[in-house]
Amino acid sequence: MNRNIVETALGAVVLITALVFLGFALHTADASRPSGYQILAAFTKIDGIKEGADVRVSGIKAGTVTKLSLDNNYRAILTMDLDNNVKLPVDSAAIVASSGLLGDKFISLEPGADDKMLKNGDKITMTQSPPGLEQLLGQVIFSMSKSGDKSGDSTAAQPVNATAPTANVPAMPTAPKTESKSE
């Protein structure tokens, strides 16, 4: 009987200690909804953006992405909670950016120059979606081929002028024929 009372008291102490630590963790993490205002932005694609992603202004966290949805035109609508201290002009732009090659994606807000500020529920009209990996690789290959043209590389493909008469186009040199002897 005495042993059951000790085990029950010890269990209650452990449970109270766990609740105190949980309350402390929630308080220091500031897990509550931020006191701010919501703005919306429509993107053609938002690769890598998830609920909880950072919203940054000049690299400083100014809010959080709270909701992702689709509109009737199949555009991605982001709902962002911004801190009340961050006032953005109505002509601001929202850009999907990343922390590096393999870094997390976030929304970068570029402030505009208008005197009128965004209010709760307003929508950012200027947005820029992230380029796809294929598009980035194409740009790298294209820029490398352009730099090869400038270095005087004769093996690089030269553009053909479709309006030039064929008489002005030099003939392609042919390789000399080699005769093989049959034995």
Side-chain angles (χ1 to χ4, degrees):
M1 181 82 154
N2 194 17
R3 183 176 170 176
N4 287 340
I5 295 173
V6 171
E7 286 177 355
T8 304
L10 188 58
V13 168
V14 168
L15 187 60
I16 290 171
T17 305
L19 289 175
V20 167
F21 277 115
L22 180 63
F24 177 74
L26 287 175
H27 178 33
T28 57
D30 194 23
S32 64
R33 187 175 183 271
S35 60
Y37 63 102
Q38 290 186 341
I39 59 172
L40 303 162
F43 292 87
T44 55
K45 65 180 182 174
I46 53 166
D47 296 344
I49 295 291
K50 300 177 181 102
E51 287 184 14
D54 286 353
V55 177
R56 300 181 189 174
V57 176
S58 300
I60 308 290
K61 184 175 178 179
T64 306
V65 174
T66 57
K67 184 179 174 187
L68 306 172
S69 61
L70 283 175
D71 68 0
N72 294 336
N73 296 323
Y74 303 105
R75 291 180 304 169
I77 305 296
L78 269 72
T79 304
M80 300 171 273
D81 280 344
L82 295 182
D83 188 12
N84 272 332
N85 297 330
V86 178
K87 302 294 182 196
L88 291 171
V90 294
D91 61 342
S92 297
I95 302 165
V96 177
S98 67
S99 300
L101 187 60
L102 300 175
D104 288 337
K105 300 280 184 160
F106 62 92
I107 300 296
S108 176
L109 297 178
E110 301 291 330
D114 202 318
D115 292 334
K116 199 172 166 189
M117 298 296 163
L118 289 168
K119 296 183 291 266
N120 189 33
D122 283 351
K123 191 173 191 177
I124 293 179
T125 57
M126 292 182 281
T127 60
Q128 181 179 345
S129 298
L133 181 60
E134 295 85 5
Q135 184 181 1
L136 291 174
L137 287 173
Q139 288 176 348
V140 167
I141 292 169
F142 181 73
S143 67
M144 289 174 60
S145 69
K146 282 292 189 186
S147 66
D149 289 347
K150 291 179 183 174
S151 66
D153 185 9
S154 63
T155 60
Q158 299 295 324
V160 176
N161 186 354
T163 61
T166 56
N168 293 339
V169 177
M172 294 290 293
T174 57
K177 283 188 175 180
T178 57
E179 295 182 21
S180 60
K181 294 183 180 180
S182 57
E183 294 182 37

